[in-house]
Amino acid sequence: MAADSMEIDDALYSRQRYVLGDTAMQKMAQSHVFLSGIGGIGVEIAKNIVLAGVKALTVHDTKQCTKWDLGINFFIHEDDITGQRNRAEATLHRIAELNPYVHVAASTVPLDETTDLSFLKQYQCVILTEVSLLLQKKINDFCHAQQPPIKFISADVYGICSRLFCDLGDEFEVLDTTGEEPKEIFISNITQSNPGIVTCLENHPHRLETGQFLTFREVNGMSCLNGSTHQITVVSPYSFSIGDTSDMEPYLHGGIAVQVKTPKIFYFERLEKQITNPLCLVADFSKPEAPLQIHVAMLALNHFQENFGRRPNIGCLQDAEEMLKIAMSISETLENKPQVNGDVVKWLSRTAQGFLAPLAAAVGGVASQEVLKAVTGKFSPLQQWLYIDMLDIVTPLEKMESEEFLPRGDRYDALRACIGDSLCQKLHDLNVFLVGCGAIGCEMLKNLALLGVGTGQDKGLVTITDPDLIEKSNLNRQFLFRPHHIQKPKSYTAAEATLNINPYLKIDSYINKVCPATENTYSDEFYTKQDVIVTALDNVEARRYIDSRCVANLRPLIDSGTMGTKGHTEVIVPHLTESYNSHRDPPEEEIPFCTLKSFPAAIEHTIQWARDKFESSFSHKPSLFNKFWQTYLSAEEVLQRIKSGESLEGCFHVIKTLSRRPRSWTQCVELARVKFEKYFSHKALQLLHSFPLDTRLKDGSLFWQSPKRPPFPVKFEFNDPLHYDFIVSAAKLFATVYCVPFTEKDLSEEAILKIISAVKVPDFRPSNKVVQTDETARKPDHIPVSSEDERNAIFQLEKSILSNEALENDLQMKPISFEKDDDSNGHIDFITAASNLRAKMYNIEPADRFKTKRIAGKIIPAIATATAAVSGLVALELIKVVGGYPADAYKNCFLNLAIPIMVFTETAEVRRTEIRNGISFTIWDRWTIYGKEDFTLLDFINAVREKYGIEPTMVVQGVKMLYVPVMPGHIKRLKLTMQKLVKPSADKKYVDLTVSFAPETDGEEDLPGPPVRYYFVQEDN
């Protein structure tokens, strides 16, 4: 089957399509992958690549399920152990269930030095986990020698260290190295020189890099540049050079430079050669030497296994010494002769029998993305090693007895070998609040289940909440859900699925949003019971709110998020780190109102315009219409009131809507045709009337020059599919909001043509309305209604009443809520047609339905690989939080699996704010004052002074100013009781107040203070 002829199931894959694109999706859907070793990391890779949608996966394993596997493999259950099943066979159907489009097979035949490897020729990619280094070299040599080479990836986790290796053949071509949209740059000037310097429009940095290629279009004057491609050299953030332009015509105005994606060849060496001279990705720039040190330590472990037929014993000093000797001799054989890090070798030896499941999730996510790159040629591959260690977790465990790490014969032995029994017990007794059960939420629940969080006999509970129901598009990365779960609540379903991984987990699930409205449920008391809060959210506002609740209640928070192949994690620990709200991302740039309304320059502008038209016509206006007629019960009442001179808010627009209300399918089609003329012809004619093409500004420059594009009216053509799509989608939506029935026959081309042919389209009449050209101007809230409009409204309403067209049914509409994922509702059809017609009118490159849906629906691209990696990193930080680790142990991470980069940084230390005289506070400090029933505001101020040595000059509760001396009447408040001022509800024991203090010198700002929690009565301590 040709790669470009395959149908992609958009309902399932839509979020991932925006990450990979259709070409890569189709290549992937034709690829066969072989994966050996279904342990902790193997099952992670299998999950991610099956969710992504390869054609076929063979999972290979020769081992039998053991109790140990329950703590590392989320698809192995207790009955697999009692049934003595092979790991590949036990997990096969659970892996296959993840995606009906992927054929999953199991293989249990031995794979060793004597195996004939020719069976691998049927695969495009081979992944090895839990395979000896000698066998890895043999298989890698075989794969590398094939034509074309079979892509080879190996991944392993031993205790606290992980290793990932990629070899995609001598030369591997990548068509798109980053997956980013090609940049479009509006030009303000091009010099006639050698080299020619191109300058961007002011305040719009180009964000290009030297060596990239650009093509030009719409350049006026220097028109020979149009259609040509040039390699650029960056001169400044706002300019770049393009070679000799001295012989070209002088530049006049306009022009757009568009980035051209060029293929790139990546070169790979075999495993044998790379072992002696490894090319490593550095993940922690504070330890650039770490990858080579782990490389040596893990090679020493491999040699130890070959020499002794086993891994080093847990806590055995003799084995650690032996491994250190091996490491020293290996280091001498490597080209760079790296220094051996004794701590890494010692801890790897101590923990090598163990396994950190969250580390496998993190590395498994990265490895899976490398598999997808190998079979699609999309994104830059890893060259060629990635090492991640968790020394941060074990270094504080130095003084623990070795017995702590020994097996106890339960499902946590692999974890215990890494972190000791005491820390395992703390995890079991943990109370965790997980907010959100989407992609990261599902992955987090799996990690919590494998760690045994919330399984303690007397303590421990996982509380989860998510208000959403499961949609088909969720199944592509929210791996706890299956097709039969669609339209069920995410939280209840996720809870049930998590108990399959670990039946001893105690879990409470809710379907509430976490916001000010639910503070009765998620009260201060609730937060105080939690040991840590983990957010798995998709918006900044919710993160900020939960962060503020964690700070108020001194609770640790671990936040994370993904967007396509990018991801971040952030650890927030009371008294040690800054909080999420301590830093603010710049606000998203809004499209200026005048750009949207009259001067679009890019397809994003026309899509937003169409989205706004949808909202206004089919949601906002119908809602206002209904609200109006709920307030005023009859048309007669409204007529009487406006005749007597009353001004009823919104009545002019409501009456206009009522008088023009379509009452049949024919009238809905007619209305759509009239709207076509208004939006795509009259609008252009009006703008050209207001600003003819030769209009010039005060400085003599042309009004219509880049980025302003002159519009040209679109002439309606019934046979143009775009014109036809607009009419049909608009008519259907009008019929829905106005409750007009229609049939399949009504939608036939013949029926539509018959109606359209008879429509009398109003002629264009220019108006003298002022067109807004100021980019800083905002959309006006209310457009004033003239007295003529009011008189017209009375006439129209009288007419409607007389013709019996203002009856009860006429006073109701059916507002539509925009829903991007239901293809049958016509919402995206309307927006695509409207946007592309407007784009045509302004000569802007149109966008297909797929791109339009992403922009109009504000869809966040998503893929399971990044989600898995991020949640694994979060779970590793959770272990540190539970262990009460020092500040320098915590790591935030930013990753982009496409490039690929993974950057670990230390958390930001909490800032201390000085008030004066040595008095200071941080965001985590809270002063407390205990009052009594007759405690006055003056008593409160005195109590703060006596307890903390500084007198407040201002007291504020939320947005309510309780005491500001300069405000009239506030001095009298000093005698009022706190009860009377605050007016607490009966069950409220305290109130959080904000205080500030007089500056040291007059005229300066008041000095801020920490929150003060005032208790209305003395607590029984």
Side-chain angles (χ1 to χ4, degrees):
M1 187 189 293
D4 57 1
S5 64
M6 289 176 57
E7 191 70 31
I8 294 171
D9 183 348
D10 188 61
L12 176 66
Y13 288 124
S14 68
R15 305 308 187 260
Q16 183 178 290
R17 279 177 84 184
Y18 292 120
V19 181
L20 296 177
D22 286 4
T23 307
M25 290 281 294
Q26 283 155 346
K27 282 184 185 171
M28 189 166 59
Q30 294 179 317
S31 57
H32 296 72
V33 179
F34 178 82
L35 167 63
S36 180
I38 300 298
I41 191 157
V43 74
E44 280 286 346
I45 296 170
K47 159 178 64 77
N48 297 335
I49 63 178
V50 168
L51 287 170
V54 294
K55 181 172 188 176
L57 171 69
T58 301
V59 289
H60 167 265
D61 204 294
T62 56
K63 293 178 185 167
Q64 199 174 299
C65 298
T66 63
K67 194 95 175 175
W68 186 274
D69 288 306
L70 294 174
I72 67 173
N73 185 321
F74 46 87
F75 278 158
I76 288 177
H77 300 165
E78 288 182 351
D79 58 352
D80 298 320
I81 295 151
T82 51
Q84 299 184 334
R85 291 194 189 109
N86 166 282
R87 294 197 301 186
E89 291 175 339
T91 55
L92 174 71
H93 71 281
R94 291 169 195 142
I95 295 168
E97 264 185 357
L98 292 168
N99 191 336
Y101 293 106
V102 181
H103 177 70
V104 185
S107 166
T108 58
V109 296
L111 181 63
D112 53 35
E113 275 74 11
T114 63
T115 305
D116 175 4
L117 298 178
S118 57
F119 78 96
L120 291 175
K121 289 182 180 179
Q122 62 186 298
Y123 300 104
Q124 282 78 52
C125 183
V126 168
I127 310 152
L128 302 183
T129 73
E130 302 184 16
V131 171
S132 74
L133 193 59
L134 280 173
L135 186 52
Q136 284 187 43
K137 288 181 196 173
K138 183 185 173 186
I139 294 173
N140 173 246
D141 285 344
F142 175 83
C143 291
H144 196 103
Q146 301 308 305
Q147 283 304 330
I150 300 168
K151 315 301 183 277
F152 175 91
I153 291 167
S154 72
D156 280 301
V157 171
Y158 292 109
I160 60 151
C161 291
S162 68
R163 170 173 67 198
L164 173 61
F165 173 78
C166 295
D167 170 13
L168 307 187
D170 286 331
E171 294 186 0
F172 181 73
E173 186 180 54
V174 173
L175 297 175
D176 182 355
T177 56
T178 65
E180 301 292 337
E181 288 271 319
K183 297 182 179 74
E184 288 202 356
I185 296 112
F186 287 97
I187 296 165
S188 69
N189 189 42
I190 306 171
T191 62
Q192 219 178 353
S193 56
N194 186 11
I197 306 291
V198 180
T199 308
C200 319
L201 278 184
E202 58 181 335
N203 304 328
H204 290 81
H206 53 67
R207 297 192 174 92
L208 296 168
E209 291 169 24
T210 293
Q212 290 180 327
F213 288 87
L214 297 179
T215 181
F216 291 83
R217 66 169 199 255
E218 299 177 32
V219 175
N220 288 281
M222 211 176 266
S223 53
C224 60
L225 278 178
N226 291 329
S228 65
T229 301
H230 298 261
Q231 192 169 17
I232 66 127
T233 303
V234 171
V235 175
S236 79
Y238 298 94
S239 62
F240 51 87
S241 66
I242 56 166
D244 193 352
T245 58
S246 52
D247 292 338
M248 296 181 187
E249 294 287 308
Y251 171 82
L252 294 175
H253 63 84
I256 298 170
V258 184
Q259 187 188 351
V260 178
K261 296 248 176 180
T262 49
K264 183 176 177 182
I265 303 289
F266 290 81
Y267 302 94
F268 289 86
E269 293 178 340
R270 297 170 188 237
L271 178 60
E272 182 83 64
K273 191 167 182 196
Q274 272 287 306
I275 281 174
T276 57
N277 188 19
L279 182 61
C280 301
L281 182 74
V282 177
D284 186 341
F285 291 105
S286 68
K287 300 187 294 184
E289 69 291 343
L292 270 182
Q293 292 175 348
I294 307 167
H295 181 72
V296 172
M298 290 189 86
L299 287 177
L301 174 63
N302 294 129
H303 281 265
F304 186 101
Q305 281 179 280
E306 284 164 25
N307 296 349
F308 298 99
R310 63 174 176 87
R311 292 186 211 168
N313 287 325
I314 294 169
C316 176
L317 294 176
Q318 200 178 342
D319 283 357
E321 284 301 319
E322 182 61 35
M323 226 174 93
L324 190 57
K325 277 186 212 161
I326 297 171
M328 293 292 193
S329 62
I330 286 173
S331 174
E332 288 305 308
T333 67
L334 303 189
E335 282 193 28
N336 288 341
K337 299 188 171 32
Q339 200 177 356
V340 174
N341 183 324
D343 282 346
V344 173
V345 176
K346 177 187 72 179
W347 276 109
L348 179 56
S349 172
R350 278 183 71 164
T351 63
Q353 293 204 15
F355 191 93
L356 279 174
L359 182 55
V363 180
V366 183
S368 311
Q369 189 69 55
E370 294 309 310
V371 175
L372 303 187
K373 292 174 189 178
V375 298
T376 64
K378 176 97 175 192
F379 304 140
S380 303
L382 170 69
Q383 289 193 296
Q384 285 185 255
W385 302 86
L386 172 67
Y387 285 103
I388 300 174
D389 73 89
M390 281 299 131
L391 266 182
D392 291 333
I393 282 184
V394 289
T395 308
L397 310 177
E398 185 81 54
K399 295 185 175 67
M400 282 165 68
E401 296 295 322
S402 59
E403 287 72 37
E404 276 270 346
F405 299 86
L406 295 174
R408 310 278 165 105
D410 63 16
R411 63 169 63 219
Y412 307 112
D413 278 346
L415 175 65
R416 191 176 284 112
C418 295
I419 66 169
D421 191 59
S422 301
L423 202 40
C424 281
Q425 289 305 323
K426 284 183 179 175
L427 285 166
H428 299 341
D429 293 345
L430 200 66
N431 290 332
V432 174
F433 181 32
L434 173 65
V435 190
C437 300
I440 291 176
C442 285
E443 292 283 342
M444 267 322 295
L445 282 167
K446 171 255 297 175
N447 294 334
L448 297 177
L450 293 175
L451 292 172
V453 169
T455 58
Q457 282 190 315
D458 306 314
K459 293 183 194 165
L461 176 68
V462 175
T463 306
I464 61 175
T465 188
D466 193 308
D468 290 346
L469 300 179
I470 296 161
E471 306 281 347
K472 187 176 178 181
S473 65
N474 300 150
L475 305 183
N476 172 235
R477 63 203 178 284
Q478 300 176 18
F479 86 103
L480 296 178
F481 307 143
R482 301 289 174 270
H484 61 271
H485 293 138
I486 289 171
Q487 287 306 301
K488 289 185 177 173
K490 283 186 179 180
S491 62
Y492 299 161
T493 311
E496 196 181 320
T498 308
L499 292 175
N500 290 328
I501 301 172
N502 189 339
Y504 304 101
L505 195 80
K506 287 171 283 177
I507 188 163
D508 270 358
S509 43
Y510 295 87
I511 52 171
N512 312 326
K513 240 181 172 173
V514 182
C515 58
T518 56
E519 280 183 16
N520 283 343
T521 306
Y522 307 116
S523 59
D524 289 343
E525 193 181 350
F526 171 84
Y527 277 93
T528 309
K529 285 178 184 166
Q530 307 307 318
D531 297 303
V532 63
I533 286 84
V534 178
T535 47
L537 296 159
D538 61 1
N539 70 89
V540 170
E541 193 185 339
R543 285 189 178 101
R544 291 202 183 288
Y545 171 73
I546 290 165
D547 176 73
S548 69
R549 301 289 286 133
C550 290
V551 171
N553 291 285
L554 305 180
R555 284 292 162 269
L557 167 68
I558 313 179
D559 175 57
S560 61
T562 68
M563 182 172 178
T565 56
K566 301 183 184 93
H568 79 271
T569 64
E570 184 174 4
V571 197
I572 293 149
V573 185
H575 304 296
L576 296 182
T577 71
E578 289 287 300
S579 79
Y580 184 84
N581 280 305
S582 304
H583 52 82
R584 296 233 164 208
D585 290 332
E588 218 178 296
E589 267 189 47
E590 274 192 10
I591 304 168
F593 169 63
C594 72
T595 301
L596 278 181
K597 190 165 172 59
S598 306
F599 307 112
I603 195 67
E604 288 78 7
H605 303 160
T606 71
I607 292 171
Q608 187 58 53
W609 172 86
R611 176 76 178 80
D612 291 348
K613 273 281 171 266
F614 178 96
E615 205 58 36
S616 160
S617 304
F618 309 121
S619 178
H620 185 62
K621 282 179 183 171
S623 298
L624 289 179
F625 186 88
N626 288 348
K627 194 177 169 189
F628 183 88
W629 293 113
Q630 281 155 11
T631 310
Y632 308 103
L633 299 179
S634 73
E636 288 77 9
E637 180 198 340
V638 169
L639 182 63
Q640 197 178 340
R641 285 183 168 209
I642 53 177
K643 274 187 168 176
S644 65
E646 257 189 83
S647 177
L648 309 184
E649 195 183 343
C651 93
F652 169 69
H653 296 291
V654 166
I655 293 168
K656 192 168 137 187
T657 304
L658 177 66
S659 65
R660 295 179 181 180
R661 182 180 186 124
R663 293 161 192 284
S664 66
W665 171 247
T666 299
Q667 288 178 344
C668 290
V669 176
E670 287 170 351
L671 180 57
R673 174 65 187 89
V674 169
K675 290 289 183 194
F676 181 101
E677 204 68 17
K678 178 185 172 184
Y679 296 156
F680 311 119
S681 176
H682 290 185
K683 173 70 183 177
L685 294 167
Q686 178 60 46
L687 270 172
L688 294 171
H689 168 77
S690 301
F691 303 105
L693 288 175
D694 56 1
T695 304
R696 292 190 178 269
L697 299 170
K698 283 176 187 169
D699 64 1
S701 60
L702 281 168
F703 177 84
W704 292 110
Q705 63 167 301
S706 180
K708 283 193 177 73
R709 311 169 74 89
F712 295 97
V714 178
K715 188 176 185 305
F716 181 76
E717 299 280 352
F718 184 81
N719 293 327
D720 187 318
L722 186 58
H723 299 201
Y724 181 77
D725 286 350
F726 176 82
I727 297 295
V728 173
S729 59
K732 281 163 78 173
L733 292 169
F734 282 130
T736 305
V737 294
Y738 288 111
C739 311
V740 173
F742 58 91
T743 64
E744 277 301 310
K745 196 179 169 189
D746 288 330
L747 293 170
S748 70
E749 265 192 48
E750 198 184 337
I752 304 278
L753 178 60
K754 192 178 174 187
I755 300 168
I756 293 284
S757 307
V759 176
K760 174 83 177 77
V761 178
D763 292 331
F764 169 67
R765 286 193 189 141
S767 90
N768 294 321
K769 264 200 303 196
V770 174
V771 177
Q772 182 59 264
T773 57
D774 178 3
E775 288 201 2
T776 59
R778 303 189 72 82
K779 185 178 180 179
D781 291 333
H782 287 292
I783 296 161
V785 177
S786 67
S787 52
E788 188 188 340
D789 286 338
E790 281 177 2
R791 282 195 299 277
N792 200 14
I794 293 172
F795 168 71
Q796 285 177 335
L797 187 55
E798 280 178 332
K799 193 177 162 193
S800 297
I801 292 168
L802 286 171
S803 52
N804 284 334
E805 289 183 348
L807 305 174
E808 194 178 338
N809 281 350
D810 300 313
L811 307 184
Q812 284 175 354
M813 287 175 75
K814 186 181 171 187
I816 296 174
S817 292
F818 175 66
E819 173 46 64
K820 58 188 175 287
D821 284 321
D822 176 2
D823 285 346
S824 66
N825 64 20
H827 299 185
I828 295 294
D829 296 335
F830 171 82
I831 290 168
T832 305
S835 163
N836 283 341
L837 278 163
R838 188 166 172 84
K840 192 174 181 179
M841 175 168 124
Y842 282 95
N843 196 22
I844 293 169
E845 195 73 24
D848 61 13
R849 187 182 193 281
F850 182 59
K851 180 176 179 177
T852 304
K853 177 176 166 176
R854 173 177 65 80
I855 296 170
K858 293 185 166 60
I859 291 175
I860 298 171
I863 190 165
T865 50
T867 309
V870 155
S871 60
L873 296 171
V874 167
L876 290 167
E877 295 306 314
L878 177 83
I879 295 171
K880 300 176 195 174
V881 170
V882 174
Y885 283 30
D888 60 359
Y890 300 106
K891 291 283 186 283
N892 293 338
C893 181
F894 170 77
L895 57 85
N896 183 350
L897 301 184
I899 303 180
I901 57 163
M902 200 168 193
V903 182
F904 290 100
T905 55
E906 288 193 1
T907 54
E909 188 183 346
V910 65
R911 282 198 300 272
R912 184 161 283 282
T913 303
E914 295 284 333
I915 305 174
R916 64 164 174 262
N917 306 338
I919 301 166
S920 64
F921 68 95
T922 75
I923 53 165
W924 298 104
D925 289 325
R926 189 175 61 221
W927 293 355
T928 47
I929 298 292
Y930 292 99
K932 48 185 193 284
E933 210 164 316
D934 57 355
F935 215 71
T936 64
L937 178 58
L938 184 58
D939 292 332
F940 169 78
I941 289 170
N942 290 336
V944 172
R945 187 187 62 232
E946 283 164 30
K947 190 169 179 182
Y948 297 103
I950 188 162
E951 184 176 315
T953 48
M954 209 156 94
V955 183
V956 178
Q957 177 197 355
V959 292
K960 185 172 147 195
M961 295 190 175
L962 295 186
Y963 177 63
V964 182
V966 294
M967 290 188 75
H970 273 221
I971 297 295
K972 291 177 186 170
R973 290 185 175 187
L974 291 170
K975 294 177 184 171
L976 295 177
T977 66
M978 292 297 282
Q979 290 268 11
K980 195 163 187 176
L981 271 173
V982 173
K983 302 183 179 73
S985 53
D987 59 341
K988 197 87 169 141
K989 293 179 182 173
Y990 56 81
V991 63
D992 287 327
L993 303 170
T994 307
V995 295
S996 51
F997 309 97
E1000 301 216 34
T1001 52
D1002 287 346
E1004 288 186 5
E1005 296 264 318
D1006 278 9
L1007 303 169
V1012 179
R1013 183 161 283 186
Y1014 171 72
Y1015 288 85
F1016 295 104
V1017 289
Q1018 184 75 38
E1019 290 264 288
D1020 299 326
N1021 289 331

